Amino acid sequence: MSNLLANESSPYLLQHAHQPVEWRPWGAEALAAAKAQDKPIFLSIGYSACHWCHVMAHESFDDPEIARLLNESFISIKVDREERPELDQIYMEAVQMMTGHGGWPLSVFLTPDLEPFYGGTYWPPEPRGGMPGFKQVVAAVAEAWKHRRREAVQQAKRLTELLSQPLVSGGASPLSPRVLEQAEAALRRSFDPVFGGFGNAPKFPHPIDLRFLLTRWFHTRSPATLAMVKTTLDKMAAGGMYDQLGGGFHRYSVDAQWLVPHFEKMLYDNALLARCYLEAWQATGEAEYARIARETLDYVLRDMTDPVGGFYSSEDADSEGHEGLFYLWTPTEIRRLLGDEAARVFCYVHDVTEEGNFEGRNILSRPKTLAQCARLLQCDEAELTAVVEDGRRKLFEFRAQRVRPGRDDKVLASWNGLMIDALARAGAALGEPRYLEAAERAADFILTQMRQDNGRLWHTWRQGRASVDGLLEDYASMAEALVTLYEADFDERWIDAALEMADVLLSRFADPEEGGFFTAPPDHPSLLVRKKDWIDSSVPSGSGLAASAMARLARLTGREDCRKATEAALLAASPMMEQMPLAVGQMLLLAQTFLEPGPELVVVGSEDVVGNREVLGALQRSYIPGCVAAFRGPNQRSPHRSPALHAIFKDKQPSTDGPTLYVCQNFACQAPAEGAGAAVAVLANLARRPA
């Protein structure tokens, strides 16, 4: 028997298609059924890589008795939070108001008018560990709806009213550097000086906050600020949260040491962290950060890329019914693969023991650097490196024969934008054409296969089937990525495409009265409230990304409407930046750029093609926060010329000495640096790498 999820494309919804619960997808049919049958809605929201979603599915949704209770008294709707983030945002906030916490699976009971009146996250089937049993919860809610409906409806209306109110009180105020200083101080207070990261276990990577701190260090040159970034990046990359064999990061660490991860791998984490490590390499020159960025992107290209060019969403934590099994090792396995002596060295470097560090097996980590291990083992570091790399290769090849975790192979425009951005930056900075080619291919895929006939984006695509109208995060993420693509390969068609995204953001998502951007367009169906997206979750806020893209486009093209939208968003976000700075890192990054803008760097190429490449290479390797870059010259990739870039190139000519660099602020330029040598020297001075 199948329920109504059998015709969906989401891997998460399909996981529930053969359960006895009469699941329906969110849509007009399900919502009409609730009204027609006068039944409340049981809304269950999760995603395919969610471990506790799988647990609740097996324990409760596969249970015939619980299914009978749900089917008798409720219209049961399943939602993939990755497909419908606008719904997840509303009902997650409602559950947080009701219970003080949130998470997935998200379990919410709604009136037929979609107003929430009771909710929680995971419930076991029977009472356990102080939690009520889901069977009892379902029966109690059904009884309340039958006999105390008025109270339930009143509760729902109170919650709905709260959901419609602003997140923080207080009027907007002009930005000042004090906002940045307060945010840095708040991060410093929550920083773990021993293991890096912020707060206690469980620990999440916070790449947006790390990037904010890196920009703060660039402007203040505070060693303590840089130390927060480096300590965190070093400890994360050395721990089990990083896949020491295959590259890429798991979702988060359940402990404070970054050793034991929650084993799922998400596209957005790896996009954001690859960019973070790349920028740390650009800022410091430390090769280890470039290695981690490369290995992370290589993992995505190898395991998370659809043949048509888009990037998959996630890999599960579980395989063969056990969490993390794919990634775990015993000393016996390693000795069998490497031989006794090489295994002894490999196990020492990766802290592998007979007793293990996770359920009798070992998560690979590197608590000591290779240099430290070489000293302690009294061996040559180069020889040790060779042994370790050979061991990594052999274990990786063996691991590839194991049963892999499940993979969610849907393509999300928003998350793809984050990965396109990371790949484009890395391709340019590291001189890796394959990264840039992958970014270009994915962007072309989104702009062709995930566009509707009216030119608007679809949010999700899987196996040739696109669905869900594009949301704020899709247009914002893609606008950012397209500007980055332009600055990576200087093909001006990306600027035209970015402006198309910006036009939709301005016409369908921007709030012209109070500033900022709504999560969904005004005609989006069946939304309880139309909310703005200010708060960073595991991904940057949609409003933060949109405003950032607008700011970059305004500086590159002179578009006044983009500039005004940026300033309006910053003004609207000012109370949040003051009152809850740790929640709005993406807006703080933009505020830093607004208060201390980087330069506009315009390179005009000459017939000296080698010189052009030398200057562009130096530009793209440099860490200069808040800058925008433009190039035209004989070796430009595409002959296309965007009229939108006319102003930034106006009256800028190459020198007879070679390529010429113009350093400008708001279209007022310093004397040009003429010739490759002079231009590279200016860029080095702007980047100011630490000695």
Side-chain angles (χ1 to χ4, degrees), residues 642-691:
S642 171
L645 293 172
H646 172 73
I648 203 167
F649 286 109
K650 185 179 180 182
D651 299 327
K652 295 181 177 69
Q653 300 296 326
S655 164
T656 55
D657 294 329
T660 303
L661 171 67
Y662 293 83
V663 180
C664 310
Q665 292 278 4
N666 298 319
F667 298 101
C669 300
Q670 304 171 12
E674 300 179 345
V680 169
V682 168
L683 291 168
N685 184 59
L686 289 170
R688 298 184 296 162
R689 260 189 184 175

Side-chain angles (χ1 to χ4, degrees), residues 24 27-41 74-75 77 110-115 145 149 157 526:
R24 304 165 190 248
E29 186 276 334
L31 305 184
K35 285 183 175 290
Q37 298 178 37
D38 192 30
K39 286 183 177 181
I41 292 167
F74 300 92
I75 298 297
I77 298 179
L110 318 178
T111 71
D113 292 324
L114 309 183
E115 296 177 332
W145 185 257
R149 182 181 301 192
K157 292 195 177 300
S526 307

Side-chain angles (χ1 to χ4, degrees), residues 180-190:
L180 307 177
E181 294 160 5
Q182 289 176 336
E184 183 178 355
L187 287 166
R188 196 181 304 280
R189 286 192 296 271
S190 67

